[in-house]
Amino acid sequence: MVSTRQTADERRTTVLAAAISEFARSGYAGTSTEAIASRAGISQPYLFRLFGTKKDLFVATYDLVGDRIINELTGVSEGLEGEEALAAMGAAYVELMQDPELLQVQLHGFAAAPGDPDIARSCRRTFEVLQKVVVERTNLSDDELRQFFAMGMLL
C-alpha cells in the first residue's frame, strides 16, 4: 500500500475541519491547540507552523464558517430580487444553522470579539459582506435590514 502525503494546503484544510469541531465545542478560550492537532492527526508544533498562533487559527476557522454562510446566501439569491431573494437567503441560513458546529463557531466568535480586535474584525467583515449582498439583492430599508439580521440572530 502506497501512502500519499498531504500538501500543506490539504493539511490546512484538515486542521480547519478539526478546528471547527473543537472550537464549536469549547470556544476560543476553552479549546486547546493540542486537542485540535490531535483531531487533525498532526503534531502541535506543525499546527503552529501552519497557522502561527491559536488566535490566527481561530480567525481562519471563523472566516471559513463566515465564508460558507456568505457563499451560500450569495449563491441561493443569484438572479433573484426583493422578497424572493430575501426568502431564499433566509431559508438557506436556516438550513446552514442545522449544522450545530457552524452556529457554535459563529457564536463563539461573537463572544470573543469584544475582547480581541482581530476576532472582532473577522466577525465584522462577515456581516459587512452579508449586509452588502442582502441590500443589493433586496433593496431593504435600514429598519428592514436590521430586522432581517436580528431574526437570523434569534434562530
Side-chain angles (χ1 to χ4, degrees):
M1 179 182 274
V2 176
S3 100
T4 58
R5 292 177 51 116
Q6 290 184 321
T7 66
D9 284 341
E10 291 168 334
R11 186 62 72 184
R12 282 178 63 85
T13 299
T14 300
V15 171
L16 285 170
I20 286 173
S21 295
E22 293 297 328
F23 283 132
R25 177 178 309 146
S26 303
Y28 173 58
T31 299
S32 73
T33 54
E34 182 179 334
I36 296 169
S38 176
R39 182 180 284 263
I42 64 170
S43 68
Q44 196 173 18
Y46 188 54
L47 176 104
F48 286 114
R49 196 168 352 157
L50 290 170
F51 288 95
T53 66
K54 178 181 172 181
K55 180 168 67 172
D56 292 340
L57 175 57
F58 183 80
V59 168
T61 303
Y62 184 89
D63 285 344
L64 180 65
V65 167
D67 288 345
R68 182 165 174 206
I69 295 167
I70 290 166
N71 292 336
E72 188 67 27
L73 270 59
T74 301
V76 300
S77 64
E78 189 71 38
L80 303 178
E81 294 179 358
E83 285 294 321
E84 194 177 7
L86 192 63
M89 288 186 281
Y93 187 72
V94 168
E95 185 64 31
L96 282 168
M97 292 302 102
Q98 300 310 303
D99 180 345
E101 289 183 341
L102 291 180
L103 177 60
Q104 290 164 341
V105 168
Q106 189 179 33
L107 293 175
H108 284 304
F110 300 157
D116 190 289
D118 297 321
I119 295 171
R121 189 175 308 108
S122 181
C123 293
R124 194 170 34 256
R125 179 202 65 92
T126 298
F127 274 103
E128 287 170 352
V129 173
L130 285 171
Q131 178 183 358
K132 182 179 178 190
V133 169
V134 172
V135 167
E136 286 175 353
R137 306 266 162 98
T138 66
N139 255 344
L140 291 178
S141 70
D142 288 345
D143 286 339
E144 292 169 321
L145 187 65
R146 272 191 293 279
Q147 180 71 13
F148 178 74
F149 280 100
M151 292 305 292
M153 298 310 298
L154 290 174
L155 290 176

